[in-house]
């Protein structure tokens, strides 16, 4: 536990006051309609939305998660989430403009644009509850768990105290300000969080126990953790940490903020953009900041923690009041922060509060948008007034906060929850990618994938069947569990797609006319319409998806080059760092040329 100076307290109180003021200030305009409350009238610029996306994923559980990964599997263990860059850039260069064209209020509303009849209505309502409430609460509880651990280590707070203090202010400004309040505060939250992360990394490397960056990199506890790529001679580590994430995970699994084809709160921000180009710009900016630059301050602190707190026992010894069920490697990040001096400590605590508030407020507004637009308005009160919709949105916001806080009180580890969410979404991602470009996918495809993925995940993770197949003496190695869920789910949903009736001609034609997805997957529908003297193509431009996929690959090379270059320069390997910077410049020039082919002409 640390002692806060008066200056530290002033910084934190000032930060709280600013965020509350913003929420109250925009509350009147946000309360005018559901569209204002959840999408801010669809007039947001790319830079503000991009910063908001970054701030949202800059949550309190992320540095804890990265610390846990680095201490357990080394720097290369981060490929479990670095692989999602492919998902992110596919969203940027292919799906961002499609989402903005759809003009839906939530990505769940998309179901009744793409599909028809009772299956579409069921899918929309069920997914609203499944994602907006159940998965959303799981994600928020992981963030709140991280806040609880930080509060216990740094301030000696009981779990319920952290939940009350941090949660109350967050839920108040989220409920009042709606989406506009969330995005405006995100702008402040991002810079506060980034300054805190950089300041903490710089100071903590200079601790006498650590001895500076050079001493850190040569320490016996750290040397084996530095590789950015897994050890290629260790087959199991290579498959688990690199091959599965890059070959299977990024396209097959649903995860909040990294949904294949876009979705969730990322889609919410694309839908709120001024136009399609602003949607593309926002998501590209987000991916650069999220993957190329932001992880390194957390990684440096995680490596330094291996010197100061080499194992969990040393953390427990230093902080004996922490409950045993909350002990884990993820505590090392907040344990290191207790060594910060006055002033910087206040800034870092404010940055952690900022990270918590940004993520939770986004999840609250996003989850409430599902409850209001896709469940309450569709299933309960179709004639609800705008005022009623906003009221229900605010009530849903408070309810989601309470439920996630209660769950956080019984959780122990953020990495476990990350793995569970990843498993439950395994095998569904390919549908989210293909449903825009293949007419044959129907509502039953998604319904079957959703249920099979969940059922198989439960069977393999929480029953004797999983132990039989994937235990220490099982028939298959442990790393095969995730691909197995993907394989079973994919086989089932593809079979269901062909065994069930396709969507009606009217639904398919209306979808194509509005979205203009193009490509061979829709040729049958386009040709059939022409035979009926119906022209679905309303653009002379060619199919932009091939250029988009090429841009995705070049963009990945660009961002990974920047990420690797940053790491090598930190490690003192300046030659490789400079070579990668040169490669990044070449990839940037190629991407600029490709961008011209993808950019949408706004009339």
């Amino acid at each position: 536990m640390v002692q806060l100076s008066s200056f530290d307290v002033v910084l934190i109180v000032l930060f709280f006051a600013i965020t509350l003021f913003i929420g109250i200030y925009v509350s009147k305009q946000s309360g005018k309609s559901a569209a204002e409350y959840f999408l801010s009238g669809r007039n947001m610029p790319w830079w503000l939305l991009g910063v908001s996306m970054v701030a949202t994923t800059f949550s309190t559980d992320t540095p804890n998660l990265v610390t846990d990964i680095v201490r357990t599997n080394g720097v290369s263990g981060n490929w479990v989430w670095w692989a999602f860059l492919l998902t992110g850039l596919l969203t940027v260069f292919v799906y961002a403009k499609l989402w903005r064209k759809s003009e839906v209020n939530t990505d769940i509303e998309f179901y009744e644009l793409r599909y028809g009849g009772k299956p579409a209505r069921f899918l929309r309502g069920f997914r609203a509850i499944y994602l907006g409430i159940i998965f959303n609460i799981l994600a928020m509880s992981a963030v709140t768990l991280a806040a609880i651990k930080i509060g216990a280590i740094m301030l000696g707070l009981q779990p319920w105290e952290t939940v009350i203090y941090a949660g109350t202010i967050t839920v108040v400004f989220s409920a009042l300000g709606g989406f506009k309040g969330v995005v405006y505060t995100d702008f402040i939250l991002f810079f506060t969080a980034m300054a805190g992360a950089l300041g903490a990394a710089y100071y903590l490397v200079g601790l006498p126990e650590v001895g500076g960056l050079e001493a850190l990199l040569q320490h016996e506890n750290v040397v084996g953790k530095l590789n950015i790529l897994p050890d290629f001679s260790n087959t199991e580590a290579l498959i688990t940490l690199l091959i599965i994430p890059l070959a299977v995970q990024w396209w097959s699994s649903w995860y909040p903020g990294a949904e294949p084809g876009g979705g969730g709160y990322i889609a919410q921000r694309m839908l709120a953009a001024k136009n399609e180009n602003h949607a593309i710009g926002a998501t590209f900016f987000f991916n650069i900041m999220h993957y190329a630059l932001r992880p390194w301050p957390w990684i440096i602190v995680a490596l330094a923690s291996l010197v100061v707190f080499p194992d969990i026992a040393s953390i427990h010894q230093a902080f004996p009041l922490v409950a045993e069920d909350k002990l884990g490697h993820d505590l090392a990040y907040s344990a290191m922060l207790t060594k910060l001096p006055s002033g910087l400590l206040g800034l870092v605590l404010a940055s952690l509060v900022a990270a918590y508030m940004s993520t939770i407020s986004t999840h609250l507004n996003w989850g409430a948008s599902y409850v209001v637009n896709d469940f309450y308005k569709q299933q309960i009160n179709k004639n609800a007034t705008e005022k009623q919709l906003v009221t229900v949105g605010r009530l849903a916001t408070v309810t989601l906060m309470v439920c996630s806080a209660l769950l956080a009180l019984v959780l122990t580890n953020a990495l476990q929850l990350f793995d569970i969410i990843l498993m439950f979404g395994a095998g569904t991602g390919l549908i989210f990618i293909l449903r825009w470009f293949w007419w044959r996918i129907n509502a039953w495809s998604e319904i079957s994938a959703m249920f099979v993925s969940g059922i198989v995940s439960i069977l393999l993770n929480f029953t004797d069947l999983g132990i039989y197949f994937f235990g220490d003496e099982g028939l298959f190695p442990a790393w095969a569990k995730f691909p197995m869920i993907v394989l079973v789910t994919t086989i089932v949903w593809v079979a269901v797609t062909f065994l069930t009736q396709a969507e009606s001609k009217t639904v398919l034609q209306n979808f194509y006319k509005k979205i203009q997805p193009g490509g061979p997957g829709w040729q049958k529908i386009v040709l059939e319409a022409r035979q009926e003297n119906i022209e679905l193509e309303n653009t002379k431009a060619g199919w932009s998806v091939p250029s988009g996929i090429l841009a995705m690959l070049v963009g990945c090379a660009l961002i990974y080059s920047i990420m690797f270059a940053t790491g090598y320069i930190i490690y003192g390997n300046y030659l490789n760092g400079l070579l990668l910077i040169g490669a990044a410049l070449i990839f940037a020039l190629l991407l600029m040329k490709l961008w011209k082919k993808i950019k949408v002409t706004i009339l």
Side-chain angles (χ1 to χ4, degrees), residues 63-188:
N64 286 19
L65 176 67
V66 170
T67 301
D68 198 342
I69 289 171
V70 170
R71 288 173 65 90
T72 305
N73 296 316
V75 174
S76 62
N78 285 286
W79 282 101
V80 73
W81 67 276
W82 284 345
F84 281 127
L85 173 63
L86 282 79
T87 309
L89 291 190
L90 191 64
T91 298
V92 171
F93 297 116
V94 176
Y95 294 99
K97 61 183 179 183
L98 300 179
W99 277 113
R100 188 59 186 84
K101 276 183 184 179
S102 73
E103 296 183 317
V104 292
N105 291 307
T106 67
D107 58 312
I108 300 293
E109 186 181 328
F110 170 86
Y111 289 123
E112 290 200 75
L113 175 66
R114 174 62 177 83
Y115 312 125
K118 290 181 180 179
R121 287 194 294 275
F122 166 79
L123 188 58
R124 180 178 179 183
F126 186 85
R127 292 285 281 184
I129 301 300
Y130 184 66
L131 298 181
I133 296 180
I134 299 173
F135 263 64
N136 199 22
I137 286 173
L138 287 174
M140 286 193 293
S141 64
V143 178
T144 303
L145 172 64
I148 287 171
K149 293 191 175 190
I150 291 168
I153 290 285
M154 300 192 69
L155 302 173
L157 296 176
Q158 293 296 315
W160 66 267
E161 291 179 301
T162 302
V163 166
I164 292 294
Y165 300 151
T168 300
I169 293 177
T170 305
V171 79
V172 167
F173 92 79
S174 300
L176 287 175
F179 182 74
K180 183 171 286 187
V182 170
V183 172
Y184 284 1
T185 52
D186 275 350
F187 192 75
I188 299 170

Side-chain angles (χ1 to χ4, degrees), residues 264-276:
Y265 53 76
I266 299 298
Q268 185 186 31
R269 278 148 181 76
M270 291 187 286
L271 293 168
K274 284 183 176 180
N275 56 46
E276 295 153 43

Side-chain angles (χ1 to χ4, degrees), residues 450-465:
M450 178 175 60
F451 281 105
V452 170
S453 177
I455 292 168
V456 175
S457 294
I458 291 170
L459 290 174
L460 296 186
N461 283 290
F462 304 107
T463 69
D464 292 340
L465 188 68

Side-chain angles (χ1 to χ4, degrees), residues 456-495:
V456 175
S457 294
I458 291 170
L459 290 174
L460 296 186
N461 283 290
F462 304 107
T463 69
D464 292 340
L465 188 68
I467 297 172
Y468 177 77
F469 282 108
F470 301 100
D472 293 336
E473 303 277 332
L475 298 177
F476 302 103
W479 57 260
K481 186 184 294 185
F482 182 86
M484 184 65 73
I485 298 171
V486 172
L487 179 63
V488 172
T489 304
T490 303
I491 289 172
V492 170
W493 78 253
V494 170

